[in-house]
Amino acid sequence: LVPRHDASGLTLTLASAELRKALKRGTNEFRFTSPAGVATAELEFAREWTVFGPCAETDLAPAITDLAACPATLRLGDKALAARPVKATSRGIDLGQLLGDQRERQGAWVYIPVTAPRSGHYGIGLGADWWFEAFLDGKPLIDTLETGNLTNPPNRNNHLSEVELMAGVHTLAVRVLSGSVGWTLDAGAYRDGAKLTALSVRVAP
């Protein structure tokens, strides 16, 4: 089974010919378990995040080098934005409170250092009020610019992505566009094995 998370849930693709042969018409149940006593490493999200803003939705995107590592000054075309360090809480950060501009679709860039304790497979979760696009080490990760967050209030379990990372520090850069009544971002690690323990699949004739 090949898992893929998106805004609508979890999609499982059958990648094994033997597994396809084992399926029968009607309801098939899959059970997912983790070996007892085996610890799963998580990404470590820094408590201090860096915010650049406010900016307009139509401002140019940062250079690739500025998406891959947090700059001292973020340049969006001719616009230069100073860094604002902020301490994240267990629920992320409130950009409206920090930047004091609550117009709908107002923009801000948020940079979050994340550390992989070892090389391997990790899960990243994001939620924002109300639209966002996220990049990890300069590469696109999650994008809700068409749909919005879909869930309110937002939290880090709203949109999940699985990544392979080398051990060390990585940069998560997120552009957040404010909603009509809020402007927040929450981000953190998740353990995929803890999210799903059983699944029923119905095979049509």
Side-chain angles (χ1 to χ4, degrees), residues 140-158:
L141 183 71
I142 304 174
D143 184 330
T144 68
L145 297 181
E146 291 294 328
T147 63
N149 198 66
L150 298 175
T151 300
N152 198 35
N155 66 74
R156 68 192 62 182
N157 293 318
N158 295 153

Side-chain angles (χ1 to χ4, degrees), residues 9-172:
L10 176 66
T11 300
L12 295 172
T13 302
L14 295 176
S16 166
E18 292 301 317
L19 184 57
R20 286 197 293 271
K21 291 178 183 178
L23 291 173
K24 63 182 185 297
R25 291 181 181 178
T27 300
N28 297 258
E29 184 172 83
F30 298 87
R31 294 196 174 273
F32 299 83
T33 60
S34 299
V38 175
T40 302
E42 290 186 349
L43 282 178
E44 299 167 5
F45 278 62
R47 290 293 304 275
E48 185 169 286
W49 300 0
T50 302
V51 175
F52 299 92
C55 57
E57 180 183 7
T58 54
D59 283 340
L60 295 177
I64 294 297
T65 53
D66 283 348
L67 283 176
C70 184
T73 300
L74 183 64
R75 297 193 176 276
L76 308 176
D78 293 334
K79 181 178 291 186
L81 300 175
R84 298 172 182 248
V86 59
K87 292 286 187 183
T89 71
S90 59
R91 297 182 180 180
I93 59 173
D94 187 328
L95 291 162
Q97 186 178 59
L98 176 68
L99 300 176
D101 195 331
Q102 195 51 64
R103 291 175 296 160
E104 187 172 346
R105 300 189 78 92
Q106 186 76 346
W109 283 90
V110 182
Y111 284 71
I112 307 169
V114 294
T115 301
R118 57 168 175 74
S119 297
H121 188 79
Y122 293 94
I124 294 176
L126 291 159
D129 191 349
W130 183 246
W131 298 269
F132 75 87
E133 59 178 337
F135 302 82
L136 185 64
D137 295 334
K139 298 178 181 179
L141 183 71
I142 304 174
D143 184 330
T144 68
L145 297 181
E146 291 294 328
T147 63
N149 198 66
L150 298 175
T151 300
N152 198 35
N155 66 74
R156 68 192 62 182
N157 293 318
N158 295 153
H159 303 277
L160 309 175
S161 182
E162 298 172 352
V163 294
E164 288 289 335
L165 293 176
M166 298 293 291
V169 180
H170 300 266
T171 299
L172 178 63

